[in-house]
Amino acid sequence: MGVIEYCNVVVNTGTRATDRLYTYKVPDIFIGKIKIGSKVIIPFGKGNKLLEGFVFELKSDREIKNIKGLKYIKDVLNDDIKLSRAQIKLCNWMRDTYLCSFYDAIQCLIPRGTTLKKKKVYRINPNIIGSLISSDEGFDNENKIIQMLMENKMISHNELIKGIGYNCNKYISRLLNKKIIMVEEKFYSDIKSKYKKVVEVNFDPKKIDKVLSNMSNRAYKQIEILKYIARVKRVELKDVIEKTNTSRAVLNALEKKNLIKVVDEKEYRTPVDIDQIERDKVNKLNWEQEIAYANIMKTIRNHRFEKYLLHGVTGSGKTEVYMQLVNNVIKNNQQAIILVPEISLTPQIVEKFLKRFGENVAVLHSKLSLGERYDQWKKIKNNEISIVIGARSAVFAPCDNLGLIIIDEEHESSYKSEMNPKYHTIDVAEHLCRENNAVLVLGSATPSIESYYKAQKGEYKLLELKNRFNKNPLPRVEIVDMRVELEEGNKAIFSRKLYDSMKNELLSNKQVILFLNRRGYSTFVSCRSCGYVLKCLNCDISLTYHHRKNVAKCHYCGYQREVPRICPECKSKYIKFFGSGTEKVEAYVNKLFPSYRTKRLDIDTTSKKGSLEKIIESFGKREIDILIGTQMVTKGLDFPYVTLVGVLSADITLNLPDYRANERTFQLLTQVAGRAGRHDFEGNVIIQTYSPNNYAVISSKNHDYKDFFNKEIRIRKEFCYPPFYNIVNIIVLGKNERNVIKSANRLFQKIESETGKSKGLNNIQLLGPNPAILGRIKDNYRWQILLKYQSVDHETIKGIINYICNKNKNKYIESNVGLIFDMKPYNIF
DNA sequence: AGCACGCCGACT
DNA sequence: GTCGGCGTGCTC
């Protein structure tokens, strides 16, 4: 191989149109310094605009076909963010898997705020600087600008506005025309590394007496410092000054005498105050935990890639298993990533890890500042931290030495990104573990149908924890048929059973959690008398009620119908859209139980920073008797005095316009029920519903996951849903509605003909093009095309979509019409 | 995205 | 005969 003189760069132009590698020549000064993954500045396009890019490949002259006409790399930013080879591999994999651009993928892997921005800076034309004085009299503002530029060599546009005012543009352009001043563009980033000054001893500390004997008697402050520094050897500057009661001047004198060294050291901003946290001891595992632990440990020790599904009932002690696995991984000098559905909703698991592992844990959460995030990234990259805990984006933590990824509550939909690229955390984690010969552990009390199916097929190794950690029984679950309540004259949202139980528990000083599920934007049409729900005949999905047109619509295939006046099933007139009215629940509870303390836990009451923690804390201290909450109460809460959980209506999730509605219901009911009776007191759960015979409701009452799985998997097969079939959603969007519709139609036809031509593709369903349910977002019209096909055909279909939509985009798509791909949609909204 | 090239109509 | 409208295509 010849000398590395060329490199292939991904350029950040901000469009998909330039989503490929561009070859640049490496100037001599950068040969050897430029690495794969380096951030570079390159000239691009006709105007040679300077842009940021990342080196994806290095090439020798022999490997480059078309050498003439190449431009040169302008700069290599070695102090900036750098991608590892593994990360570049991950980018390529993401682009291939999710049909996103290189830069979409890169954006996931680097800390936010590190993408360089540009600003205009002005300076005086150096050629005229001598002849400037006393000319141009009478132009006050122009002179003022010149004055400012004489004082500071360079001034940004913003600073000029501050000094002169918003009308400064016209003076600037006059000065530019007269060639008195010049403009140029400068790169900057929102994040700067923070440095601290550190003092180091610069003589042999053992020979301190000799050094001291050479000091003047008058230099008592210097002597003080020398004694101190000989003992500690290295200390932060501000600490020496404080401890020895001296000043910077004294240090300067010592520095001059070469007795100490003052160095800049990168300082990390630490978002968690570790000292405040008391440490926790290792708990002994019970035999079920021990089996799971030993199984996984064996693979970790062998450095083999393997995927485990840890199916453990609520309260079975999965976290303790996680922590002991992590402990072994870090002892091996490897890194571990622990993913949780949402960091703010799972403070208890985060706390457990901090108590066990202290400052070796990086907690990545959405409230970190850009600087904190950047520091954590660098710390992980430099292998100074071994454990990363965070929500889905933490899967991209730059661990070069990965041994283990744990995904807790793996069934949660928050692991699916709804931003571009619309990745699934489990897929990314799987890829990373495969590349690193690491182990992936998916944990859940209610595994997703897809994961459990994979476990059955042997793709995941299944490990089970069937008992609660402290041998407590699972709570007793009762179903209340709300149709009967209506029949017997109770039109209230509380059944008599739930009301009585609440009264009982509260009287004996216990706590109650009420769970209600509010999904404002999607309501369904149902009969309060018989429980009948309007569904799509093709898709077996609840129809969504649209207020404006008074119609019910299918989100999958676009089928729509009028809302009937009387129930087609039982002829009653109680058929209408399912009103949430959930804001009223709190008021209603207050009216029913005026002497008890009630608190609501939802997005409204927890939007303020720290308010969620506050509510949970005071609930833990039993300052609240009744906690009313949305999904937030289903996760992770672990309080001994909670003996009753009431689900106000299982129907809201049961009738989500989604093929996962039953799965979601089973998961939610099981999770929320798991909050009751975790410690010394027995737990009770009451589920109110209009569909008491639904299999999801019944299996969750019986705590029977397998029963639910067996019924659900049959329906998935029958109605052609995952895991047997896969769905792809292509969103066509743009500001011009006519162009969007035109493109969507052309795209649809092309996909139809291409998939028709491909041999061996059976049972493909193409739905659309339909306007997306949220038809207009940020001034963009959105239409969508859904493809449903057998999972085995995924690669073929992906190839066809990529060929039509990316490689030949401008043949079928109008300019300024964009495409977004969702290769595994969770929500068709 | 931007920027140049190019083909067509309006106007000095 | 020239100026400028915007559709088209490329960016190492």
Side-chain angles (χ1 to χ4, degrees):
Chain A
M1 203 164 95
V3 186
I4 299 298
E5 290 175 327
Y6 302 90
C7 60
N8 289 335
V9 178
V10 172
V11 185
N12 184 17
T13 56
T15 50
R16 280 183 88 100
T18 53
D19 179 46
R20 58 199 183 89
L21 298 175
Y22 288 90
T23 307
Y24 282 84
K25 199 160 170 18
V26 181
D28 291 347
I29 47 160
F30 292 133
I31 290 177
K33 291 205 175 99
I34 196 165
K35 298 269 156 59
I36 284 186
S38 295
K39 194 194 260 190
V40 289
I41 304 289
I42 65 263
F44 194 78
K46 298 271 155 59
N48 281 328
K49 237 174 86 168
L50 293 179
L51 295 174
E52 173 193 288
F54 281 93
V55 176
F56 266 47
E57 290 168 348
L58 290 174
K59 297 280 174 189
S60 67
D61 49 358
R62 270 176 246 172
E63 296 167 283
I64 299 293
K65 285 163 260 153
N66 203 355
I67 285 181
K68 53 177 187 293
L70 294 187
K71 293 179 182 176
Y72 280 87
I73 293 278
K74 170 88 188 201
D75 201 2
V76 181
L77 306 171
N78 271 334
D79 292 333
D80 207 312
I81 293 295
K82 205 183 227 170
L83 297 175
S84 66
R85 275 163 196 270
Q87 286 179 308
I88 287 183
K89 233 174 160 179
L90 178 60
C91 284
N92 281 308
W93 176 84
M94 284 176 77
R95 190 169 100 112
D96 179 57
T97 306
Y98 300 113
L99 305 181
C100 65
S101 70
F102 280 120
Y103 241 87
D104 286 340
I106 291 173
Q107 224 81 61
C108 294
L109 309 203
I110 58 176
R112 273 197 292 126
T114 54
T115 299
L116 295 177
K117 295 179 176 176
K118 280 201 252 183
K119 65 179 170 190
K120 280 184 179 164
V121 290
Y122 300 94
R123 53 149 46 128
I124 290 183
N125 185 350
N127 301 327
I128 58 127
I129 210 145
S131 58
L132 198 64
I133 309 117
S134 81
S135 71
D136 291 306
E137 274 174 46
F139 297 96
D140 279 356
N141 277 320
E142 289 179 33
N143 279 332
K144 211 163 149 195
I145 292 174
I146 293 169
Q147 206 67 48
M148 283 172 73
L149 288 171
M150 300 275 265
E151 280 159 26
N152 311 285
K153 271 185 281 177
M154 257 184 228
I155 290 184
S156 74
H157 195 255
N158 272 349
E159 286 166 322
L160 277 181
I161 288 176
K162 244 184 253 164
I164 310 288
Y166 278 98
N167 57 354
C168 67
N169 275 342
K170 87 176 165 212
Y171 308 115
I172 292 170
S173 50
R174 267 191 226 152
L175 288 168
L176 282 171
N177 282 338
K178 289 189 221 161
K179 299 223 158 55
I180 295 173
I181 65 169
M182 295 163 54
V183 64
E184 60 190 77
E185 289 197 306
K186 261 200 107 147
F187 285 102
Y188 73 99
S189 133
D190 289 335
I191 297 168
K192 288 162 212 86
S193 288
K194 232 169 124 184
Y195 286 91
K196 61 178 177 189
K197 296 233 180 287
V198 172
V199 180
E200 284 175 356
V201 62
N202 202 23
F203 56 88
D204 184 354
K206 284 178 203 144
K207 296 177 183 156
I208 175 76
D209 292 335
K210 202 182 156 205
V211 173
L212 288 180
S213 64
N214 286 336
M215 298 295 291
S216 149
N217 279 337
R218 284 178 59 232
Y220 56 93
K221 289 244 167 176
Q222 295 185 25
I223 292 171
E224 196 77 17
I225 290 175
L226 287 172
K227 280 183 188 163
Y228 182 76
I229 203 86
R231 186 156 48 84
V232 297
K233 286 163 191 98
R234 188 181 156 76
V235 63
E236 201 178 325
L237 185 134
K238 64 174 201 284
D239 289 344
V240 214
I241 294 177
E242 197 196 323
K243 290 262 165 57
T244 58
N245 194 22
T246 54
S247 67
R248 181 68 213 253
V250 187
L251 288 166
N252 286 346
L254 287 170
E255 201 181 0
K256 242 184 211 158
K257 291 178 188 162
N258 257 334
L259 290 168
I260 61 165
K261 257 200 303 202
V262 179
V263 291
D264 281 323
E265 186 176 276
K266 197 170 270 172
E267 184 177 27
Y268 295 122
R269 288 151 274 218
T270 42
V272 188
D273 194 352
I274 298 295
D275 299 338
Q276 294 300 309
I277 290 166
E278 61 181 280
R279 291 310 191 82
D280 166 47
K281 285 196 298 288
V282 177
N283 291 320
K284 210 170 168 332
L285 300 177
N286 65 25
W287 65 272
E288 273 187 336
Q289 290 173 312
E290 187 62 45
I291 290 169
Y293 166 79
N295 259 299
I296 301 171
M297 259 331 290
K298 212 174 133 194
T299 331
I300 290 177
R301 279 201 204 93
N302 293 335
H303 292 278
R304 254 184 38 228
F305 165 57
E306 190 67 75
K307 299 171 275 186
Y308 288 95
L309 178 61
L310 181 58
H311 178 203
V313 297
T314 54
S316 58
K318 291 187 286 289
T319 310
E320 187 60 38
V321 177
Y322 299 158
M323 289 198 289
Q324 301 206 14
L325 291 171
V326 167
N327 190 35
N328 275 286
V329 167
I330 62 171
K331 264 199 224 147
N332 269 332
N333 232 346
Q334 287 184 300
Q335 289 169 299
I337 299 175
I338 298 97
L339 299 167
V340 292
E342 201 179 320
I343 206 93
S344 62
L345 298 185
T346 45
Q348 286 178 331
I349 185 169
V350 174
E351 201 185 315
K352 279 182 190 168
F353 270 87
L354 285 170
K355 278 184 172 173
R356 187 71 57 86
F357 300 107
E359 60 282 338
N360 207 0
V361 183
V363 183
L364 303 179
H365 55 83
S366 57
K367 295 200 173 114
L368 292 183
S369 72
L370 290 180
E372 286 168 338
R373 205 177 291 271
Y374 176 81
D375 288 351
Q376 297 282 3
W377 197 91
K378 281 265 175 178
K379 246 170 145 174
I380 298 162
K381 184 104 182 161
N382 295 338
N383 223 336
E384 290 167 42
I385 276 185
S386 318
I387 304 165
V388 178
I389 178 162
R392 68 162 179 261
S393 60
V395 77
F396 296 113
C399 300
D400 289 334
N401 208 3
L402 195 64
L404 172 69
I405 298 181
I406 292 167
I407 303 184
D408 191 34
E409 311 285 3
E410 63 86 27
H411 61 276
E412 281 292 331
S413 60
S414 59
Y415 287 121
K416 172 69 201 302
S417 167
E418 295 298 336
M419 312 277 279
N420 211 11
K422 297 173 182 288
Y423 64 88
H424 198 295
T425 309
I426 295 180
D427 298 337
V428 177
E430 229 181 281
H431 169 84
L432 284 171
C433 287
R434 183 178 291 114
E435 290 292 314
N436 285 283
N437 283 321
V439 169
L440 175 64
V441 176
L442 308 178
S444 177
T446 52
S448 73
I449 294 295
E450 283 164 72
S451 292
Y452 202 81
Y453 181 73
K454 282 184 184 172
Q456 280 205 330
K457 293 263 149 198
E459 196 184 327
Y460 296 163
K461 292 208 165 145
L462 183 64
L463 299 166
E464 288 179 303
L465 307 176
K466 291 181 178 164
N467 298 294
R468 282 190 155 181
F469 174 66
N470 45 17
K471 303 202 180 73
N472 282 348
L474 288 162
R476 201 158 47 93
V477 181
E478 262 182 272
I479 299 170
V480 176
D481 187 344
M482 292 304 274
R483 297 172 305 183
V484 176
E485 291 289 313
L486 181 73
E487 208 173 285
E488 294 175 3
N490 179 15
K491 290 187 183 175
I493 43 175
F494 283 90
S495 61
R496 289 156 299 177
K497 176 82 207 167
L498 180 56
Y499 174 74
D500 290 343
S501 307
M502 281 177 75
K503 217 161 81 183
N504 273 337
E505 298 302 327
L506 291 169
L507 273 174
S508 61
N509 258 327
K510 301 295 190 306
Q511 290 174 297
V512 176
I513 293 177
L514 290 180
F515 172 66
L516 55 94
N517 212 341
R518 180 169 51 174
R519 287 293 283 265
Y521 49 88
S522 119
T523 52
F524 55 97
V525 179
S526 76
C527 172
R528 292 241 280 156
S529 179
C530 72
Y532 173 81
V533 174
L534 277 191
K535 284 195 171 184
C536 176
L537 298 171
N538 312 318
C539 306
D540 191 42
I541 297 286
S542 302
L543 300 180
T544 300
Y545 179 69
H546 286 241
H547 273 276
R548 263 190 305 155
K549 295 179 191 158
N550 192 36
V551 292
K553 223 171 165 177
C554 173
H555 282 190
Y556 280 72
C557 69
Y559 164 82
Q560 72 174 59
R561 62 165 291 176
E562 238 172 72
V563 177
R565 294 256 174 83
I566 52 166
C567 172
E569 202 69 13
C570 73
K571 313 285 181 241
S572 92
K573 59 182 175 16
Y574 286 105
I575 186 157
K576 48 183 163 187
F577 66 92
F578 202 89
S580 47
T582 49
E583 290 83 358
K584 291 175 200 147
V585 172
E586 188 185 13
Y588 196 67
V589 173
N590 278 329
K591 217 173 87 192
L592 286 180
F593 302 100
S595 55
Y596 294 99
R597 294 155 299 178
T598 306
K599 197 99 201 174
R600 226 169 73 209
L601 189 73
D602 56 25
I603 299 157
D604 299 338
T605 59
T606 56
S607 52
K608 249 202 271 159
K609 201 176 168 180
S611 52
L612 173 84
E613 290 81 356
K614 227 187 208 162
I615 293 175
I616 289 177
E617 198 191 316
S618 78
F619 190 62
K621 286 190 200 151
R622 297 170 75 194
E623 293 162 1
I624 297 169
D625 303 305
I626 307 169
L627 188 68
I628 308 170
T630 54
Q631 322 259 1
M632 287 181 179
V633 299
T634 60
K635 285 172 200 134
L637 298 186
D638 185 359
F639 297 115
Y641 286 90
V642 176
T643 50
L644 176 66
V645 168
V647 178
L648 289 177
S649 164
D651 304 80
I652 292 169
T653 36
L654 211 45
N655 295 301
L656 284 177
D658 189 328
Y659 69 88
R660 281 191 190 79
N662 284 303
E663 181 183 351
R664 301 263 300 119
T665 305
F666 178 82
Q667 287 163 351
L668 225 46
L669 293 179
T670 307
Q671 299 276 343
V672 74
R675 302 307 114 213
R678 293 173 74 93
H679 295 264
D680 297 340
F681 311 105
E682 214 177 282
N684 284 294
V685 179
I686 292 171
I687 299 172
Q688 303 188 150
T689 178
Y690 289 94
S691 328
N693 297 320
N694 174 281
Y695 61 96
V697 176
I698 291 173
S699 341
S700 76
K701 168 190 156 71
N702 298 331
H703 306 291
D704 193 345
Y705 178 83
K706 270 179 204 155
D707 179 52
F708 170 72
F709 174 82
N710 289 333
K711 287 179 172 137
E712 178 69 15
I713 198 86
R714 225 176 295 149
I715 289 174
R716 296 287 180 92
K717 198 163 192 176
E718 188 184 334
F719 284 94
C720 303
Y721 284 118
F724 306 99
Y725 277 69
N726 196 23
I727 297 172
V728 165
N729 188 14
I730 303 174
I731 296 164
V732 185
L733 75 168
K735 301 223 190 301
N736 181 326
E737 191 177 18
R738 271 187 46 222
N739 282 346
V740 170
I741 298 172
K742 202 164 131 195
S743 307
N745 279 319
R746 246 191 290 170
L747 198 58
F748 184 87
Q749 279 160 19
K750 185 65 190 166
I751 294 172
E752 201 170 33
S753 75
E754 281 298 313
T755 48
K757 259 189 267 167
S758 267
K759 286 188 197 100
L761 288 178
N762 297 314
N763 296 328
I764 294 182
Q765 263 187 68
L766 273 161
L767 305 171
N770 284 314
I773 299 304
L774 295 174
R776 242 179 116 187
I777 298 176
K778 271 201 215 157
D779 235 17
N780 274 317
Y781 290 90
R782 295 156 70 93
W783 282 59
Q784 65 184 22
I785 297 169
L786 282 179
L787 283 90
K788 207 163 136 191
Y789 52 87
Q790 289 181 322
S791 298
V792 288
D793 295 330
H794 183 67
E795 287 301 312
T796 316
I797 297 282
K798 201 178 75 185
I800 292 172
I801 294 172
N802 198 21
Y803 177 76
I804 300 171
C805 300
N806 286 333
K807 299 213 169 87
N808 294 294
K809 184 179 177 232
N810 35 23
K811 278 192 206 157
Y812 310 106
I813 306 290
E814 300 288 316
S815 63
N816 59 50
V817 169
L819 295 175
I820 296 174
F821 304 101
D822 196 337
M823 305 308 283
K824 206 176 179 183
Y826 262 45
N827 293 310
I828 317 285
F829 288 127

